[in-house]
Amino acid sequence: MSRIAVINPNLSEGFTKKVGDQARKIVAENIDVIALNPKFGPASIEGYYDEAFASVGLLSVMRDLESAPDHAADPIGGYVVACFDDTGVDAARCLTNAPVLGLCEGALRMAAAVASRFSIVTPMSVSVRPLEHLVEKYGAASQCVVRAAGVRTLDFEGSGAAAAYLALKKQAEASLVTDRSEAIVLGCAGMTDITDRLHAELGVPVIDGVSAAVKMVEAMAMLGLHTSKAGAYARPPMKPYHGIFAGFSPQE
């Protein structure tokens, strides 16, 4: 295994660069990180509606990578879906033998190892209920609370980043007191570059989903683990797709 693909399902090239840079900082020296985003889809993913559209773009990027001429000789060893909503992760697992992990699942698995109770702080309130569903799906409902900072996802880029950070920190501090949380999980890929600062200021573990998912996928790939094709993640049956989805017919 020499390559990991980190796919940002939205169109923000700034986010794509940010998650790619973070991934390259933490992987082994012999691992090549490919950071990509789709050519179509939402500018950011904020709730169920954006998630549905972004999933198709995510799958298009994966199909291109899986069918690339160099894939047979140098296959992608693992995929990270760089969105905290875990956009399209289950569908993505059907397209590849490699392990696929989203940020929320990676972060929750790691948070549970270092704290008995923790909180996710996500940018917008529209994302709270979808994340609560994921928390339940991943078996962390008794440990995890979800809070919103009241800012937009893209506020963590550019001139709004300082104010977004302060809003995030305020909710994290409130969670430590009100929710009795012992760790904070950053609920957005765009927060990956503030992890160390928030940890220093709060004095508790701060889990970044990008770092958590990248290291877990790297470990799974190094252990030779593959996505099972025995049941739910079996490759899609060969059948035609029409209209704008004509190019998405499953491949052998």
Side-chain angles (χ1 to χ4, degrees), residues 8 87 149 164 168 171 217:
N8 167 24
T87 300
L168 165 70
Q171 286 299 317
V217 161

Side-chain angles (χ1 to χ4, degrees), residues 64-187:
D64 288 346
L65 290 172
E66 290 282 310
S67 61
D70 61 344
H71 182 72
D74 187 19
I76 302 295
Y79 290 90
V80 172
V81 178
C83 175
F84 206 85
D85 288 353
D86 286 5
T87 300
V89 166
D90 286 323
R93 287 171 175 161
C94 299
L95 288 183
T96 181
N97 293 324
V100 180
L101 197 63
L103 304 193
C104 184
E105 184 171 9
L108 293 185
R109 306 291 188 205
M110 201 162 284
V114 298
S116 66
R117 188 169 176 82
F118 43 90
S119 293
I120 297 170
V121 183
T122 189
M124 296 182 65
S125 59
V126 71
S127 298
V128 170
R129 193 60 181 145
L131 292 183
E132 287 176 340
H133 287 158
L134 288 180
V135 167
E136 184 173 358
K137 175 182 177 180
Y138 299 140
S142 67
Q143 299 174 278
C144 183
V145 174
V146 183
R147 284 176 168 261
V151 296
R152 297 295 300 271
T153 298
L154 294 178
D155 287 344
F156 287 91
E157 289 187 327
S159 60
Y165 176 83
L166 292 177
L168 165 70
K169 182 183 175 183
K170 181 179 179 180
Q171 286 299 317
E173 290 173 330
S175 183
L176 296 178
V177 176
T178 305
D179 305 326
R180 305 187 310 280
S181 294
E182 302 164 7
I184 300 298
V185 176
L186 300 177

